Amino acid sequence: MRFEEAKQKCEKAGQGHLLAYFDELTGEEQVNLLDQIEKLDITLLDLLKKDSKEVEKGILEPLGAVTLEEIQQEKEEYLQLGTKAIQAGKVGAVLLAGGQGTRLGLDKPKGMLNVGVNKELYLFEQLIHNLMQVVDQTGAWVPLFVMTSEKNNEDTVQFFKEKRFFGYNEEYVFFFVQQMAPSVNYEGKIYMEDKGRISTSPNGNGGWFISMANAGLLKKVKELGVEWLNVFSVDNVLQKIADPIFVGAVLKHQCVSGSKVVAKADPYEKVGVLCLEDGKPSIVEYYEMTEEMIHLRDKQGKLLYNYGVILNYLFSVEALEKIVNENLPTHIVEKKIPYMDETGNVVKPEKPNGYKFETLVLDMIHRMDNCLSFEVEREKEFAPIKNATGVDSLESARVLMKKNGIEF
Ligand code: UTP
């Protein structure tokens, strides 16, 4: 893109400041900035103009889960079905590690967080240990696709190499980089990282499948004969990956997707709840629920909107391919965004100072014809590390790691 075109594009969108320092840049920096402006999806900024920042929900109804008791009864059959699928190479795993973990405030990939006390134990390492249990149990390597972002790809790949993939078979690990989106201040002006770089951030975890496709990895998926992908987050130390019982349950119930869920700790717990929206599976956020929905109970007194998602989903590849070109809703998320101020200094804010644009994996569930809600024990499978202290922190995760006999 030439300077004149870039100037026109920016000014038309009220973003003329992006070129304010153009004359001070080196030739290479100028080319890079023009390239960034060319790729910039300016239409995202229109979303800020809408009155309502969130997408309106359709008609919601509760969705029950296969409960812990039911799973216990069917366990053998689920296990057999799942194990067979894994041994046939039909199950792959996708580690979502493109996020920036701003709440935790780490300046490296979240997976490089050392969760150990008496020894080093990195988040990535513990996740690989969890996956190794399945490999040992089934005798088959599970292909692992790792999503990173432009911001953390180099560090992540380097770390895996340095640590020799924590004992995993590196032939079965595939990295891919997700797409980026601009970050803006509360007035909708795009931030600059420095004089020659627009501030961008990973565009949410909803783009994982299209990013995998863009990276040419669908060919690999086909080559390996993978028919199911288990998507999971980087920050849950107790994450069970490619869990044969979960896989078997989804197969047995002939669903095209499945979600691990936990029963709510209390009606007001801040979790997204798996339910039905206009007859299709969907996740309703806690702030989208009415008081009536929150307290709705069945005859036994059990909450009807009871099952919270924990970012562990299983998708059929065939179902994913059908929706790969569909746009997911974009969420406008308030975050802490480092930026360059008017005097050219780089500022690292202490509190949120603007918005990022993200699509979310949970919105993919609504595109599926059905989704098996699969209950798991919170204390055994859910120890997310989101915050520096308090709820969902390293401290709370360590308590649960100890309970589960993990040495650290
Ligand atoms: P979170 O919603 O916790 O976001 O991600 P985050 O960016 O890691 O952390 P905060 O909100 O800034 O503190 C849930 C999962 O989705 C991944 C994360 O790495 C994590 O595993 N993710 C998130 C991506 O892979 N890409 C993204 O753009 C965002």
Side-chain angles (χ1 to χ4, degrees), residues 95-105 110 147-149 152 178-179 201-208 232-236 239 311 333-336 356-361 385-387:
L95 165 55
L96 302 174
Q100 290 183 298
T102 51
R103 280 170 288 175
L104 196 61
K110 215 184 203 182
M147 181 163 88
T148 63
S149 81
N152 68 14
Q178 71 172 100
Q179 268 80 55
S201 56
N203 67 348
N205 56 27
W208 67 273
F232 63 98
S233 67
V234 70
D235 46 29
N236 173 10
Q239 192 85 258
L311 221 177
V333 201
E334 229 183 323
K335 296 251 177 169
K336 288 187 253 179
K356 292 183 179 180
F357 299 93
E358 298 192 343
T359 60
L360 304 176
V361 58
I385 302 174
K386 298 283 184 195
N387 306 305

Side-chain angles (χ1 to χ4, degrees), residues 29-202:
E29 287 167 344
Q30 288 183 339
V31 172
N32 288 341
L33 181 58
L34 292 179
D35 191 42
Q36 257 199 312
I37 293 172
E38 182 171 10
K39 288 189 188 136
L40 192 67
D41 179 3
I42 223 96
T43 59
L44 281 175
L45 302 175
D46 294 338
L47 296 170
L48 295 167
K49 293 182 198 141
K50 298 214 176 112
D51 290 342
S52 158
K53 290 190 179 137
E54 281 300 324
V55 189
E56 298 242 341
K57 284 270 188 242
I59 295 169
L60 301 176
E61 289 168 275
L63 174 68
V66 189
T67 61
L68 291 173
E69 301 82 66
E70 285 162 347
I71 294 166
Q72 194 53 37
Q73 279 163 20
E74 307 292 328
K75 196 171 158 187
E76 277 317 307
E77 192 184 358
Y78 291 165
L79 180 63
Q80 247 183 37
L81 278 170
T83 304
K84 231 171 99 188
I86 292 166
Q87 287 171 336
K90 291 184 181 170
V91 183
V94 182
L95 165 55
L96 302 174
Q100 290 183 298
T102 51
R103 280 170 288 175
L104 196 61
L106 209 68
D107 59 359
K108 48 189 180 199
K110 215 184 203 182
M112 286 173 67
L113 177 73
N114 180 11
V115 296
V117 176
N118 299 316
K119 62 171 189 177
E120 283 178 7
L121 180 65
Y122 300 96
L123 259 177
F124 281 139
E125 184 175 11
Q126 184 55 37
L127 292 173
I128 295 288
H129 285 178
N130 298 351
L131 183 54
M132 272 310 281
Q133 285 179 11
V134 177
V135 174
D136 291 341
Q137 201 181 329
T138 59
W141 290 103
V142 173
L144 175 66
F145 301 91
V146 183
M147 181 163 88
T148 63
S149 81
E150 272 173 25
K151 305 258 176 197
N152 68 14
N153 182 61
E154 225 177 284
D155 285 344
T156 306
V157 175
Q158 175 65 27
F159 192 61
F160 268 82
K161 284 189 179 153
E162 197 182 298
K163 301 289 179 190
R164 298 180 178 270
F165 291 76
F166 307 101
Y168 210 71
N169 184 343
E170 69 177 280
E171 281 174 31
Y172 285 86
V173 183
F174 309 92
F175 296 94
F176 65 101
V177 181
Q178 71 172 100
Q179 268 80 55
M180 306 293 277
S183 316
V184 297
N185 70 12
Y186 290 128
E187 281 74 50
K189 297 275 181 226
I190 298 175
Y191 277 122
M192 293 296 285
E193 261 172 31
D194 56 47
K195 291 180 179 176
R197 273 200 76 77
I198 293 174
S199 165
T200 56
S201 56

Side-chain angles (χ1 to χ4, degrees), residues 166-326:
F166 307 101
Y168 210 71
N169 184 343
E170 69 177 280
E171 281 174 31
Y172 285 86
V173 183
F174 309 92
F175 296 94
F176 65 101
V177 181
Q178 71 172 100
Q179 268 80 55
M180 306 293 277
S183 316
V184 297
N185 70 12
Y186 290 128
E187 281 74 50
K189 297 275 181 226
I190 298 175
Y191 277 122
M192 293 296 285
E193 261 172 31
D194 56 47
K195 291 180 179 176
R197 273 200 76 77
I198 293 174
S199 165
T200 56
S201 56
N203 67 348
N205 56 27
W208 67 273
F209 191 64
I210 184 84
S211 296
M212 246 178 105
N214 290 344
L217 284 171
L218 283 195
K219 219 174 124 223
K220 186 49 84 185
V221 163
K222 296 278 146 99
E223 227 173 83
L224 292 165
V226 171
E227 293 177 9
W228 295 91
L229 288 169
N230 180 203
V231 183
F232 63 98
S233 67
V234 70
D235 46 29
N236 173 10
V237 239
L238 298 181
Q239 192 85 258
K240 279 199 186 166
I241 306 153
D243 173 1
I245 302 177
F246 178 39
V247 174
V250 174
L251 289 171
K252 171 76 192 185
H253 290 265
Q254 298 187 336
C255 287
V256 291
S257 69
S259 169
K260 287 202 166 186
V261 294
V262 292
K264 275 194 192 174
D266 73 80
Y268 289 101
E269 190 184 351
K270 291 180 173 177
V271 286
V273 169
L274 190 58
C275 63
L276 289 176
E277 178 186 352
D278 298 330
K280 289 184 93 181
S282 180
I283 288 142
V284 57
E285 290 294 350
Y286 66 94
Y287 52 81
E288 294 172 318
M289 285 176 55
T290 60
E291 274 296 306
E292 193 194 339
M293 284 167 75
I294 290 173
H295 294 287
L296 213 57
R297 291 177 191 268
D298 66 10
K299 284 187 192 121
Q300 284 77 42
K302 206 163 156 183
L303 290 176
L304 277 168
Y305 288 95
N306 191 30
Y307 296 106
V309 290
I310 61 168
L311 221 177
N312 189 317
Y313 303 106
L314 187 70
F315 289 98
S316 120
V317 173
E318 198 184 331
L320 287 169
E321 279 177 312
K322 286 189 193 148
I323 62 155
V324 66
N325 291 318
E326 288 180 17

